[in-house]
Amino acid sequence: MTLEFDYLIAGGGSAGCALAARLSEDKSVSVCLIEAGGNGRNLFIKMPAGNGFVFGNPKLDWGYQSIPQKHLNGRTIYFPRGKSLGGSSIVNGMIYMRGIPSDYNRWRQMGLPGWSYSDLLPYFKKSEGSKHRKDQFHGINGPLKIEPSSNFGKLEEAFINSAVKAGHKKINDFNGSERTGVSRLDSTVSNGVRQSSAIAYLTNVPKNLKVITKQQVSKILLNKNRAIGLETLEGNRIFCRKEIIICQGAFGTPHLLMLSGIGPADHLTENGIEPVINLPGVGASLADHVIASMQYSSNRIDLSHARHQRLDKAIFLMARWLFNGKGPGGGAFWSTGLFHAFNDPKFPELEVFMTPMIVEENLDKGSYEKTPLLQHFGRKLLVRGRKIARPGVQIDINQERPKSLGSIKLASSNPREYPLIDPNYFSNSEDLEELVKGVAVMRKVMQQNEISKYLNSEISPWFNSNTKSEIVESIKQSAYTGHHPCSTARMGADNDPMAVLDAKLRVRGMIGLRVCDASVMPTQITGNLYATVIAIAEKASDLILNRSPLAEEFPN
């Protein structure tokens, strides 16, 4: 039996689920969403504290790795990417953070009408269902539910007080009228449940939407320069009457395009793929936030999330969450953030997260640490890496607009073989210089008595790391991904030779083919990507269905 729909969506990630829900609001069309993973309803996906059961689990995490990084002493970097309905929103930190207005205004200035902050704000508000913010910047009726991060305790309060004492401004809302300062975070959690895009948008699947899971799209079927269908690894073919939208993320989307003959012609030919259209921007311009991770030891396990690793504590945490969604298990472990600007507070260069425990997130770093029996279950609730969590404080300094750009390339023409990922961290020396200054900024915060009284000292590689060369080496040893890859199939103006898409997300030179995910972003943004990817999907549905865009908004 041949399956045919009006619209095919390849990839049920953050964008794919939102787009499928919005397209299927038009009851006159049929939509099919195809996802390589499962249905995204796993208990530990729903439970905010269950990250450790998702992270590194081959059933739920694609488990990408970078090539060895020249400027990180040859280290490889682990890139978790969600593998189920919801995509990477099943494994992210549940932080609701938009970019700053200038990020999106820059897109408009690059020759992309309709993508400024005033254009996107209505779509942010349409998607958002905030429980606690009712002003001109926020929406209260959208499917993506937002609430204050609930795991906010003594260390988080101490961090905010220390930051204020060190000269940072305390603000109320990172997504409001100002960004630079320190504040409690907003979370994509509702009543103790992670708000993945699948949970937010596809709890009730409409009749005109067909959701196919556990089928990995391996090729776009083309008739000359028209997209006509999708083929899966299992050999199934599904056809479309109108359009195909690729939503496989910053790594998966350029990989699929290139496997289908859309990309840099020379590179395709080298891998035995006949080029259909030469688009050199496919797989280029990979942008990611890079993190320098500082760690402080402490004897105060009573204040640390690490205390939940003990079997009795972990069981109590789990039982309480199952009973009413409350307690530490029902909230993100990241509750406090800081944005720092070196010059203009409207353009902060650094985003900092404080975590009240020490963790090692890069799965490619070090050997797996064996866990005492009584900690085995608890560590899974907390730890996204090879090491157990320990009491202390971790300061993750995210560089927001790094100048170093990387690439996605084919390893071969085999769709089962992962692409070659090169984030190319610190290839531009200015990025390293900026992080060195960021370390000094955060050390000043952490030296304040309000937080330092709970801590012992910095730990390796930061202990006694004082000269510039020592700090640079510590950054290189501790750096890892900020989990925000984007721009690998980006939008651009007609005169931009590296643009893969036009301003309506259409693949250049193709008919009936669009892209909708983080890969479309023309540049990196100042903040986490989830909220922006959802807003892009909301806007994309209007573009695809030829509906009038929401009216621009200009908040005071």
Side-chain angles (χ1 to χ4, degrees), residues 195-408:
Q195 296 299 288
S196 73
S197 61
I199 291 171
Y201 281 88
L202 291 181
T203 297
N204 299 306
V205 177
K207 291 182 179 179
N208 61 330
L209 171 60
K210 173 72 172 177
V211 179
I212 299 174
T213 57
K214 299 183 178 179
Q215 293 274 316
Q216 182 178 338
V217 175
S218 57
K219 189 175 184 180
I220 304 166
L221 299 175
L222 305 174
N223 181 0
K224 296 181 180 178
N225 68 333
R226 177 181 288 276
I228 61 170
L230 297 170
E231 184 173 283
T232 70
L233 279 178
E234 295 74 17
N236 296 313
R237 291 187 163 201
I238 306 169
F239 295 91
C240 76
R241 288 182 284 265
K242 293 187 176 182
E243 289 194 46
I244 295 171
I245 307 98
I246 310 301
C247 303
Q248 297 199 161
F251 302 150
T253 286
H255 190 212
L256 178 62
L257 290 172
M258 287 188 284
L259 289 171
S260 306
I262 303 168
D266 291 346
H267 181 57
L268 300 183
T269 302
E270 289 169 2
N271 285 276
I273 297 172
E274 182 178 353
V276 175
I277 185 165
N278 179 27
L279 286 177
V282 174
S285 307
L286 170 61
D288 188 23
H289 293 149
V290 62
I291 284 177
S293 185
M294 304 177 69
Q295 297 176 333
Y296 295 78
S297 63
S298 172
N299 297 325
R300 295 295 302 270
I301 193 164
D302 59 311
L303 301 180
S304 173
H305 291 323
R307 69 187 184 275
H308 300 300
Q309 286 177 140
R310 210 175 76 186
L311 184 63
D312 57 337
K313 299 274 189 181
I315 290 174
F316 177 73
L317 178 150
M318 186 76 183
R320 186 177 177 189
W321 178 78
L322 286 169
F323 178 69
N324 61 10
K326 303 293 185 182
F333 287 138
W334 297 269
S335 295
T336 312
L338 179 152
F339 279 85
H340 178 72
F342 292 109
N343 299 304
D344 189 336
K346 291 183 179 179
F347 305 100
E349 291 90 354
L350 302 177
E351 178 182 18
V352 180
F353 298 113
M354 188 280 275
T355 310
M357 63 178 171
I358 297 170
V359 294
E360 174 53 66
E361 285 199 27
N362 189 24
L363 277 180
D364 279 12
K365 186 175 180 181
S367 57
Y368 194 86
E369 187 171 2
K370 292 185 178 180
T371 311
L373 182 63
L374 292 181
Q375 287 189 0
H376 189 69
F377 178 73
R379 73 165 290 179
K380 278 290 190 180
L381 290 174
L382 303 172
V383 181
R384 307 200 308 176
R386 297 183 184 274
K387 308 292 184 180
I388 64 172
R390 289 183 167 80
V393 166
Q394 182 160 315
I395 299 297
D396 286 335
I397 308 172
N398 287 248
Q399 188 171 37
E400 294 301 275
R401 294 182 299 279
K403 294 180 173 63
S404 304
L405 298 179
S407 65
I408 308 294

Side-chain angles (χ1 to χ4, degrees), residues 28 36 42 62 84 114 155 192 216 264 305 330 358 361 452 477 481 495:
S28 69
N42 182 292
W62 285 99
S84 81
L155 282 178
Q216 182 178 338
H305 291 323
I358 297 170
E361 285 199 27
S452 66
Q477 288 185 39
T481 175
N495 61 356

Side-chain angles (χ1 to χ4, degrees), residues 45-51 91-96 147-153 156 184-195 305 308 317 321 325-336 353-357 381-382 384 528:
I45 290 174
K46 294 181 178 180
M47 181 182 182
N51 249 4
V91 72
N92 66 15
M94 294 159 284
I95 295 166
Y96 184 78
E147 62 183 35
S149 189
S150 60
N151 281 318
F152 186 87
E156 285 83 1
R184 184 175 181 172
L185 296 167
D186 285 353
S187 285
T188 53
V189 174
S190 179
N191 297 321
V193 177
R194 170 193 287 272
Q195 296 299 288
H305 291 323
H308 300 300
L317 178 150
W321 178 78
K326 303 293 185 182
F333 287 138
W334 297 269
S335 295
T336 312
F353 298 113
M354 188 280 275
T355 310
M357 63 178 171
L381 290 174
L382 303 172
R384 307 200 308 176
N528 307 57

Side-chain angles (χ1 to χ4, degrees), residues 113-177:
W115 292 97
S116 69
Y117 177 70
S118 60
D119 292 306
L120 282 174
L121 180 59
Y123 290 103
F124 281 118
K125 293 171 67 173
K126 180 182 179 182
S127 66
E128 183 185 6
S130 178
K131 295 183 177 180
H132 62 299
R133 301 196 185 278
K134 298 177 175 62
D135 59 31
Q136 58 190 329
F137 294 98
H138 293 278
I140 60 175
N141 297 315
L144 184 62
K145 305 304 180 188
I146 308 297
E147 62 183 35
S149 189
S150 60
N151 281 318
F152 186 87
K154 187 172 288 189
L155 282 178
E156 285 83 1
E157 189 173 346
F159 177 76
I160 289 178
N161 291 337
S162 293
V164 170
K165 190 174 179 181
H168 299 270
K169 182 179 181 180
K170 184 177 181 180
I171 62 178
N172 177 57
D173 180 10
F174 280 130
N175 298 297
S177 60

